[in-house]
Short mmCIF file of all heavy atoms in Angstrom, two decimals:
data_model
loop_
_atom_site.label_atom_id
_atom_site.label_comp_id
_atom_site.label_asym_id
_atom_site.label_seq_id
_atom_site.Cartn_x
_atom_site.Cartn_y
_atom_site.Cartn_z
N ALA E 102 95.83 109.94 127.81
CA ALA E 102 95.03 111.16 127.76
C ALA E 102 93.77 111.03 128.62
O ALA E 102 93.10 110.00 128.62
CB ALA E 102 94.65 111.48 126.32
N SER E 103 93.45 112.10 129.34
CA SER E 103 92.27 112.14 130.20
C SER E 103 91.08 112.71 129.41
O SER E 103 91.23 113.16 128.27
CB SER E 103 92.54 112.98 131.44
OG SER E 103 92.90 114.29 131.06
N GLU E 104 89.91 112.72 130.05
CA GLU E 104 88.70 113.21 129.40
C GLU E 104 88.88 114.64 128.93
O GLU E 104 89.46 115.46 129.63
CB GLU E 104 87.51 113.11 130.36
CG GLU E 104 86.18 113.37 129.68
CD GLU E 104 85.00 113.03 130.55
OE1 GLU E 104 85.18 112.68 131.74
OE2 GLU E 104 83.88 113.11 130.03
N ASN E 105 88.42 114.93 127.73
CA ASN E 105 88.50 116.24 127.06
C ASN E 105 89.92 116.64 126.67
O ASN E 105 90.16 117.79 126.33
CB ASN E 105 87.84 117.33 127.90
CG ASN E 105 86.37 117.07 128.11
OD1 ASN E 105 85.67 116.66 127.19
ND2 ASN E 105 85.90 117.26 129.32
N SER E 106 90.86 115.71 126.72
CA SER E 106 92.24 115.97 126.28
C SER E 106 92.42 115.48 124.85
O SER E 106 91.70 114.59 124.39
CB SER E 106 93.24 115.24 127.18
OG SER E 106 93.19 115.75 128.47
N GLY E 107 93.43 116.01 124.16
CA GLY E 107 93.75 115.55 122.82
C GLY E 107 94.25 114.12 122.86
O GLY E 107 94.90 113.69 123.82
N CYS E 108 93.93 113.34 121.80
CA CYS E 108 94.29 111.93 121.77
C CYS E 108 94.53 111.46 120.34
O CYS E 108 94.16 112.12 119.39
CB CYS E 108 93.17 111.09 122.39
SG CYS E 108 91.58 111.27 121.55
N SER E 109 95.14 110.30 120.24
CA SER E 109 95.28 109.57 118.98
C SER E 109 94.62 108.21 119.19
O SER E 109 94.72 107.64 120.28
CB SER E 109 96.74 109.33 118.61
OG SER E 109 97.38 110.53 118.31
N PRO E 110 93.98 107.67 118.15
CA PRO E 110 93.48 106.30 118.27
C PRO E 110 94.65 105.35 118.47
O PRO E 110 95.79 105.66 118.10
CB PRO E 110 92.79 106.04 116.93
CG PRO E 110 92.55 107.38 116.34
CD PRO E 110 93.64 108.27 116.87
N LYS E 111 94.41 104.20 119.08
CA LYS E 111 95.48 103.22 119.27
C LYS E 111 96.04 102.83 117.91
O LYS E 111 95.34 102.76 116.91
CB LYS E 111 94.96 102.00 120.01
CG LYS E 111 94.66 102.30 121.44
CD LYS E 111 94.36 101.08 122.24
CE LYS E 111 94.15 101.47 123.69
NZ LYS E 111 93.94 100.34 124.54
N THR E 112 97.35 102.57 117.89
CA THR E 112 98.04 102.23 116.65
C THR E 112 98.90 100.99 116.84
O THR E 112 99.29 100.67 117.95
CB THR E 112 98.93 103.41 116.18
OG1 THR E 112 99.67 103.01 115.03
CG2 THR E 112 99.91 103.82 117.25
N ILE E 113 99.19 100.32 115.75
CA ILE E 113 100.04 99.14 115.81
C ILE E 113 101.52 99.52 115.86
O ILE E 113 102.35 98.69 116.17
CB ILE E 113 99.80 98.20 114.60
CG1 ILE E 113 100.10 98.94 113.29
CG2 ILE E 113 98.39 97.66 114.63
CD1 ILE E 113 100.12 98.04 112.08
N TYR E 114 101.84 100.79 115.61
CA TYR E 114 103.23 101.21 115.53
C TYR E 114 103.90 101.38 116.89
O TYR E 114 105.10 101.31 117.01
CB TYR E 114 103.36 102.49 114.71
CG TYR E 114 102.77 102.34 113.34
CD1 TYR E 114 101.63 103.05 112.97
CD2 TYR E 114 103.31 101.44 112.42
CE1 TYR E 114 101.07 102.89 111.71
CE2 TYR E 114 102.76 101.28 111.17
CZ TYR E 114 101.63 102.00 110.82
OH TYR E 114 101.07 101.83 109.59
N GLY E 115 103.13 101.67 117.93
CA GLY E 115 103.69 101.73 119.28
C GLY E 115 104.26 103.07 119.71
O GLY E 115 104.72 103.20 120.82
N ILE E 116 104.24 104.08 118.84
CA ILE E 116 104.69 105.42 119.20
C ILE E 116 103.62 106.41 118.74
O ILE E 116 103.08 106.28 117.65
CB ILE E 116 106.05 105.77 118.57
CG1 ILE E 116 107.12 104.83 119.08
CG2 ILE E 116 106.44 107.21 118.87
CD1 ILE E 116 108.51 105.10 118.56
N TYR E 117 103.32 107.38 119.58
CA TYR E 117 102.22 108.31 119.32
C TYR E 117 102.68 109.76 119.32
O TYR E 117 103.64 110.12 120.00
CB TYR E 117 101.17 108.18 120.44
CG TYR E 117 100.53 106.82 120.51
CD1 TYR E 117 101.05 105.83 121.34
CD2 TYR E 117 99.40 106.54 119.78
CE1 TYR E 117 100.45 104.58 121.42
CE2 TYR E 117 98.79 105.29 119.86
CZ TYR E 117 99.32 104.32 120.67
OH TYR E 117 98.73 103.09 120.74
N TYR E 118 101.94 110.61 118.58
CA TYR E 118 102.09 112.06 118.70
C TYR E 118 101.24 112.55 119.86
O TYR E 118 101.61 113.48 120.56
CB TYR E 118 101.66 112.78 117.42
CG TYR E 118 102.71 112.73 116.34
CD1 TYR E 118 102.60 111.86 115.27
CD2 TYR E 118 103.83 113.56 116.40
CE1 TYR E 118 103.57 111.79 114.30
CE2 TYR E 118 104.81 113.51 115.41
CZ TYR E 118 104.66 112.63 114.36
OH TYR E 118 105.62 112.57 113.40
N LEU E 119 100.09 111.93 120.07
CA LEU E 119 99.23 112.16 121.23
C LEU E 119 98.85 110.78 121.75
O LEU E 119 98.53 109.89 120.98
CB LEU E 119 97.97 112.93 120.84
CG LEU E 119 98.16 114.36 120.36
CD1 LEU E 119 96.82 114.92 119.86
CD2 LEU E 119 98.68 115.24 121.49
N CYS E 120 98.87 110.60 123.06
CA CYS E 120 98.57 109.29 123.63
C CYS E 120 97.10 108.92 123.47
O CYS E 120 96.24 109.80 123.41
CB CYS E 120 98.93 109.27 125.11
SG CYS E 120 100.71 109.26 125.39
N PRO E 121 96.82 107.62 123.44
CA PRO E 121 95.42 107.20 123.44
C PRO E 121 94.77 107.53 124.80
O PRO E 121 95.45 107.89 125.76
CB PRO E 121 95.48 105.68 123.22
CG PRO E 121 96.90 105.29 123.32
CD PRO E 121 97.74 106.52 123.35
N CYS E 122 93.48 107.37 124.87
CA CYS E 122 92.71 107.72 126.07
C CYS E 122 92.90 106.73 127.21
O CYS E 122 93.21 105.56 126.98
CB CYS E 122 91.22 107.77 125.73
SG CYS E 122 90.80 108.96 124.46
N GLU E 123 92.65 107.24 128.42
CA GLU E 123 92.61 106.38 129.59
C GLU E 123 91.48 105.35 129.42
O GLU E 123 90.54 105.56 128.64
CB GLU E 123 92.33 107.22 130.84
CG GLU E 123 93.42 108.19 131.18
CD GLU E 123 93.05 109.14 132.31
OE1 GLU E 123 91.84 109.30 132.60
OE2 GLU E 123 93.97 109.72 132.88
N ARG E 124 91.55 104.29 130.21
CA ARG E 124 90.54 103.24 130.16
C ARG E 124 89.15 103.82 130.40
O ARG E 124 88.96 104.66 131.26
CB ARG E 124 90.85 102.19 131.22
CG ARG E 124 89.92 101.00 131.19
CD ARG E 124 90.21 100.06 132.30
NE ARG E 124 91.64 99.79 132.41
CZ ARG E 124 92.20 98.60 132.27
NH1 ARG E 124 91.46 97.55 132.06
NH2 ARG E 124 93.49 98.46 132.38
N GLY E 125 88.19 103.37 129.60
CA GLY E 125 86.81 103.80 129.73
C GLY E 125 86.44 104.98 128.87
O GLY E 125 85.27 105.33 128.74
N LEU E 126 87.44 105.64 128.26
CA LEU E 126 87.19 106.77 127.37
C LEU E 126 87.44 106.35 125.93
O LEU E 126 88.16 105.39 125.68
CB LEU E 126 88.11 107.94 127.73
CG LEU E 126 88.01 108.48 129.15
CD1 LEU E 126 89.06 109.57 129.37
CD2 LEU E 126 86.61 109.03 129.42
N VAL E 127 86.84 107.07 125.00
CA VAL E 127 87.06 106.80 123.57
C VAL E 127 87.62 108.05 122.91
O VAL E 127 87.29 109.17 123.30
CB VAL E 127 85.77 106.35 122.85
CG1 VAL E 127 85.31 105.00 123.35
CG2 VAL E 127 84.67 107.36 122.97
N CYS E 128 88.46 107.84 121.91
CA CYS E 128 89.05 108.95 121.16
C CYS E 128 88.17 109.24 119.94
O CYS E 128 88.13 108.46 118.99
CB CYS E 128 90.48 108.58 120.73
SG CYS E 128 91.36 109.96 119.98
N GLU E 129 87.45 110.35 120.00
CA GLU E 129 86.60 110.77 118.89
C GLU E 129 87.51 111.46 117.88
O GLU E 129 87.86 112.62 118.05
CB GLU E 129 85.49 111.71 119.37
CG GLU E 129 84.50 111.05 120.30
CD GLU E 129 83.67 109.98 119.61
OE1 GLU E 129 83.44 110.06 118.39
OE2 GLU E 129 83.25 109.03 120.30
N ALA E 130 87.91 110.71 116.84
CA ALA E 130 88.90 111.21 115.89
C ALA E 130 88.62 110.68 114.49
O ALA E 130 87.81 109.77 114.31
CB ALA E 130 90.29 110.78 116.34
N ASP E 131 89.33 111.24 113.52
CA ASP E 131 89.30 110.75 112.15
C ASP E 131 90.03 109.42 112.12
O ASP E 131 91.24 109.37 112.27
CB ASP E 131 89.99 111.76 111.23
CG ASP E 131 90.12 111.28 109.79
OD1 ASP E 131 89.55 110.23 109.45
OD2 ASP E 131 90.80 111.98 109.01
N LYS E 132 89.30 108.34 111.95
CA LYS E 132 89.91 107.01 111.97
C LYS E 132 90.08 106.44 110.55
O LYS E 132 90.28 105.26 110.37
CB LYS E 132 89.07 106.07 112.83
CG LYS E 132 89.08 106.51 114.28
CD LYS E 132 88.25 105.64 115.16
CE LYS E 132 88.30 106.20 116.58
NZ LYS E 132 87.28 105.65 117.44
N SER E 133 90.04 107.33 109.56
CA SER E 133 90.22 106.89 108.18
C SER E 133 91.70 106.59 107.90
O SER E 133 92.59 107.05 108.60
CB SER E 133 89.74 107.97 107.20
OG SER E 133 90.62 109.08 107.24
N ILE E 134 91.95 105.84 106.85
CA ILE E 134 93.33 105.52 106.46
C ILE E 134 94.06 106.81 106.06
O ILE E 134 95.25 106.96 106.34
CB ILE E 134 93.37 104.46 105.33
CG1 ILE E 134 94.80 103.98 105.10
CG2 ILE E 134 92.77 104.99 104.05
CD1 ILE E 134 95.35 103.12 106.19
N ILE E 135 93.35 107.76 105.47
CA ILE E 135 93.97 109.04 105.08
C ILE E 135 94.42 109.79 106.33
O ILE E 135 95.51 110.33 106.39
CB ILE E 135 93.00 109.91 104.26
CG1 ILE E 135 92.59 109.19 102.98
CG2 ILE E 135 93.60 111.28 103.96
CD1 ILE E 135 93.73 108.83 102.04
N GLY E 136 93.57 109.80 107.38
CA GLY E 136 93.94 110.46 108.63
C GLY E 136 95.17 109.85 109.25
O GLY E 136 96.02 110.53 109.79
N THR E 137 95.28 108.53 109.15
CA THR E 137 96.45 107.83 109.70
C THR E 137 97.70 108.18 108.91
O THR E 137 98.75 108.47 109.48
CB THR E 137 96.21 106.31 109.67
OG1 THR E 137 95.05 106.03 110.45
CG2 THR E 137 97.39 105.56 110.25
N ILE E 138 97.61 108.15 107.59
CA ILE E 138 98.77 108.43 106.72
C ILE E 138 99.24 109.88 106.88
O ILE E 138 100.44 110.15 106.94
CB ILE E 138 98.43 108.12 105.25
CG1 ILE E 138 98.25 106.61 105.08
CG2 ILE E 138 99.50 108.67 104.31
CD1 ILE E 138 97.67 106.22 103.74
N THR E 139 98.29 110.82 106.94
CA THR E 139 98.66 112.24 107.01
C THR E 139 98.83 112.75 108.43
O THR E 139 99.07 113.93 108.64
CB THR E 139 97.58 113.09 106.31
OG1 THR E 139 96.32 112.88 106.98
CG2 THR E 139 97.46 112.75 104.84
N ASN E 140 98.72 111.85 109.41
CA ASN E 140 98.88 112.19 110.83
C ASN E 140 97.91 113.28 111.27
O ASN E 140 98.26 114.18 112.02
CB ASN E 140 100.32 112.60 111.13
CG ASN E 140 100.59 112.61 112.61
OD1 ASN E 140 100.02 111.82 113.36
ND2 ASN E 140 101.43 113.51 113.05
N THR E 141 96.67 113.18 110.77
CA THR E 141 95.61 114.12 111.18
C THR E 141 94.52 113.38 111.93
O THR E 141 93.41 113.89 112.06
CB THR E 141 95.02 114.83 109.96
OG1 THR E 141 94.50 113.84 109.05
CG2 THR E 141 96.05 115.69 109.25
N ASN E 142 94.84 112.20 112.42
CA ASN E 142 93.82 111.38 113.09
C ASN E 142 93.75 111.66 114.59
O ASN E 142 93.50 110.78 115.39
CB ASN E 142 94.08 109.89 112.84
CG ASN E 142 95.42 109.43 113.35
OD1 ASN E 142 96.32 110.22 113.55
ND2 ASN E 142 95.57 108.15 113.54
#
């Protein structure tokens, strides 16, 4: 994902609904365990 695009934080599972950010960018997202479980992160 590029700047201002939708993203998912990096995961140990290896498959994403939205890709993590390009190098140098951060994914401003819900990083709680609930967000991960409910796929709202």
Side-chain angles (χ1 to χ4, degrees):
S103 59
E104 190 169 5
N105 298 318
S106 295
C108 59
S109 293
K111 289 190 177 183
T112 176
I113 60 170
Y114 304 113
I116 297 182
Y117 297 92
Y118 281 103
L119 294 173
C120 288
C122 301
E123 294 172 341
R124 184 183 313 241
L126 301 176
V127 294
C128 187
E129 294 293 332
D131 174 8
K132 296 179 181 165
S133 70
I134 189 72
I135 300 300
T137 301
I138 292 169
T139 60
N140 194 33
T141 58
N142 60 339

